[in-house]
Amino acid sequence: MEADEIYRQLDRLLTSPVFRNSKRCSDLVSYLVRRAVGDPQAGHLKERTIGIEVFGRAPDYDTTTDHVVRSIAGEVRKRLAQYYVTPEGSAAPVLIELHSGSYAPGVSLCGRASRCSSRGKATPPLGRRGARRSGD
């Protein structure tokens, strides 16, 4: 799958009513997808790294008492599910998922006339499957 296709879907997702009013959710899903497309090792992102780079936490913040990353990731999962049942989301050509227990997004290409066949099933993390970058 081309990186441009993934980025176009990310833009549609971020401008949807489900995401546009939540800066934290938008920041997290954008960061995770962009990292996964640009870096095949993004599947190995750690909670602390995300907390520092996305939410501005200090490098020594305590992830056992500050649950910002886990909390917002849970909210992102809910919002993704909400988006893909809307008319806009159900017609989306690309499915972006964030599976429980991972910060690596799964991405699937969907047919134009039908819903994604993998909706409701696990998609492999993008960083492990990889996306072709423009020009590759």
Side-chain angles (χ1 to χ4, degrees):
M1 182 178 314
E2 295 288 333
D4 288 344
E5 291 176 273
I6 297 168
Y7 289 141
R8 280 192 298 273
Q9 180 58 37
L10 178 62
D11 288 342
R12 284 189 291 271
L13 187 73
L14 295 174
T15 59
S16 73
V18 176
F19 275 88
R20 75 173 158 232
N21 293 325
S22 176
K23 182 174 177 3
R24 286 179 154 197
C25 288
S26 294
D27 288 351
L28 180 59
V29 74
S30 180
Y31 173 83
L32 294 175
V33 169
R34 291 179 191 287
R35 280 291 303 263
V37 170
D39 179 6
Q41 298 301 314
H44 302 289
L45 278 175
K46 301 294 182 201
E47 179 179 359
R48 178 177 310 284
T49 303
I50 297 167
I52 294 166
E53 293 184 7
V54 177
F55 301 112
R57 296 304 196 255
D60 62 347
Y61 91 100
D62 185 357
T63 59
T64 61
T65 59
D66 186 340
H67 303 225
V68 67
V69 175
R70 282 175 274 155
S71 296
I72 302 302
E75 183 65 24
V76 165
R77 290 181 187 100
K78 289 178 194 172
R79 287 175 186 259
L80 285 169
Q82 290 171 356
Y83 171 78
Y84 284 106
V85 297
T86 66
E88 177 187 7
S90 63
V94 176
L95 172 70
I96 297 173
E97 298 177 288
L98 186 59
H99 300 293
S100 187
S102 174
Y103 297 118
V107 178
S108 301
L109 187 59
C110 303
R112 288 198 183 274
S114 66
R115 293 173 56 99
C116 232
S117 61
S118 68
R119 289 191 176 132
K121 299 176 188 173
T123 54
L126 181 59
R128 294 192 185 124
R129 285 186 331 164
R132 291 188 312 168
R133 294 179 203 151
S134 296
D136 282 355

